[in-house]
Amino acid sequence: YQKSGGSSWSNLDGSVNDVERAADLLIDRFGFRKGDVTVLTDSEATHEGIVRAFYEKLIQPAQEGTEVLFWYSGHGSRLPDVSGVGGSELEGLDSTFIAYDSRDGVDPFDITDDEIHSLLAALCRKTSNVSVVTDCCHSGGITRGLAAGKSRSAPAGESPVSEADLAAFWPDDVPFLEDGDPRRRPLPYVHIAACSSKQTAKEISLRIPGRETTSHGAMTYFLVTALEEAQPGTTYRQLVRSTSLKVAEYFPDQDVQAEGEVDRMFLGADFASPPPGFSGVLQPDGRRVDINAGRAHFLKRDTLLEIQDLGGKILGKARATRVFATHAVAKVEGGSLRHGA
């Protein structure tokens, strides 16, 4: 984040990891072409950059039947609502995304729920297959504006945002729908949010022996894990139920939310079944396997695991010796395996 001096909120450790992992998932598991996945991080993720990318990469090329996914991972906050429409916003505050340059003294404005709703309305006029994932604080209200780990929250801002503030880059053919606008209608998108509009979203740190500690948004980590394991036909409701239970184990005060047609199949369920088991990495000595699963996946110490290569060839067996929340270490039985197998 490009912050002005004296900011009381910090950069996040896991946001870039979140979006990169999500992008890889779309390409490797769900068949998206690499050129159809746009990732904005750090200085690319400005207020203007996010709005322009949403318009140019999602709205403009969309056609009837196009599957569209918008995923935000970062700080969330709230700002005073300027609509003057009583009861339209919880506690009179817009839910917001904090862009790279929000509150930097030049463009002090967050991205408000009114902006996101307006962009979604333009997108939903072209396709009804729209999915939104928001991993930030106050994210439960970010698309519609209706009434431990590091927190993805920033103090409420003081600068309300109006249509005039966005004139320099707002798309000419996207109507700006402020609260109370008679053109606002229910939209057919599905929204998965890390928490309610009054809660904070948390990050988790993964400490894997022999590797650098990595961080992710708790909701994103468990949602992507659920998607990696999902079978064709999996619905949004099933994904949210699995994700919310895992998040609640670590953060009981964070309630994963969902709205919209949650009994739809995720992205039309047009993807292949995952290979059985868990992925892992064989260490250079051939005696240890680091496994990308742990207690959260019901793996237990002393579990005997069969090791296969990506082609399904059985290479040997390993026994889990250390099991953590989201990863485990297993010792190869009967000696070692050839590295690279």
Side-chain angles (χ1 to χ4, degrees):
Y1 282 98
Q2 178 178 296
K3 301 168 293 183
S4 57
S7 294
S8 58
W9 46 283
S10 62
N11 284 321
L12 293 169
D13 301 317
S15 292
V16 173
N17 294 334
D18 284 355
V19 294
E20 289 179 346
R21 188 176 177 214
D24 289 342
L25 175 81
L26 293 174
I27 296 167
D28 297 339
R29 183 84 207 279
F30 292 94
F32 279 58
R33 293 175 298 184
K34 191 171 183 179
D36 287 338
V37 178
T38 299
V39 177
L40 303 179
T41 61
D42 301 330
S43 60
E44 299 168 318
T46 62
H47 193 151
E48 179 176 351
I50 292 172
V51 170
R52 286 192 182 278
F54 197 113
Y55 178 69
E56 294 172 1
K57 302 294 186 179
L58 301 183
I59 295 174
Q60 284 191 316
Q63 302 175 30
E64 184 177 356
T66 300
E67 287 284 354
V68 179
L69 173 64
F70 173 73
W71 195 306
Y72 174 80
S73 184
H75 272 306
S77 187
R78 295 196 287 176
L79 290 176
D81 173 41
V82 298
S83 70
V85 179
S88 63
E89 296 285 0
L90 186 65
E91 298 178 343
L93 297 171
D94 285 324
S95 296
T96 68
F97 295 150
I98 296 185
Y100 171 79
D101 55 349
S102 292
R103 309 186 190 183
D104 67 353
V106 178
D107 179 359
F109 305 114
D110 298 358
I111 300 175
T112 67
D113 51 31
D114 298 316
E115 291 178 67
I116 298 300
H117 181 90
S118 300
L119 292 167
L120 284 170
L123 178 59
C124 288
R125 284 195 293 272
K126 302 184 75 173
T127 177
S128 60
N129 301 328
V130 178
S131 306
V132 180
V133 179
T134 55
D135 196 344
C136 62
C137 296
H138 315 296
S139 55
I142 193 64
T143 62
R144 54 194 165 86
L146 296 177
K150 180 179 284 188
S151 172
R152 293 188 163 184
S153 179
E158 299 177 355
S159 300
V161 183
S162 67
E163 184 176 2
D165 298 318
L166 312 173
F169 55 81
W170 190 258
D172 292 335
D173 56 347
V174 175
F176 188 84
L177 305 178
E178 180 61 88
D179 293 314
D181 192 307
R183 294 171 294 177
R184 288 183 76 130
R185 295 287 187 276
L187 300 176
Y189 63 82
V190 179
H191 178 204
I192 300 176
C195 59
S196 75
S197 58
K198 298 183 75 171
Q199 291 179 325
T200 58
K202 310 296 194 307
E203 288 194 338
I204 57 173
S205 295
L206 308 179
R207 297 176 176 87
I208 302 176
R211 301 193 213 171
E212 279 188 29
T213 297
T214 59
S215 295
H216 292 274
M219 190 273 285
T220 291
Y221 180 80
F222 289 115
L223 176 58
V224 172
T225 299
L227 287 169
E228 289 172 341
E229 300 168 355
Q231 299 289 338
T234 298
T235 65
Y236 291 88
R237 187 185 299 277
Q238 292 169 321
L239 290 169
V240 171
R241 181 183 296 120
S242 171
T243 302
S244 62
L245 289 173
K246 296 300 182 185
V247 170
E249 288 182 21
Y250 295 89
F251 307 107
D253 59 343
Q254 179 178 337
D255 301 316
V256 176
Q257 309 275 300
E259 65 172 332
E261 299 174 7
V262 295
D263 289 315
R264 274 174 31 195
M265 293 182 291
F266 181 77
L267 297 182
D270 185 18
F271 58 96
S273 299
F278 308 113
S279 63
V281 178
L282 180 66
Q283 294 305 301
D285 62 7
R287 297 177 181 273
R288 191 184 82 181
V289 181
D290 290 337
I291 304 167
N292 297 319
R295 292 194 304 271
H297 308 86
F298 306 105
L299 192 62
K300 298 180 180 179
R301 191 172 181 273
D302 289 330
T303 300
L304 187 62
L305 304 163
E306 185 176 80
I307 305 171
Q308 300 181 4
D309 65 14
L310 295 178
K313 179 182 177 182
I314 298 175
L315 305 176
K317 295 182 179 180
R319 190 174 297 274
T321 57
R322 287 183 289 172
V323 179
F324 305 90
T326 56
H327 67 280
V329 177
K331 182 179 179 181
V332 174
E333 297 214 322
S336 62
L337 298 176
R338 178 174 59 85
H339 184 62

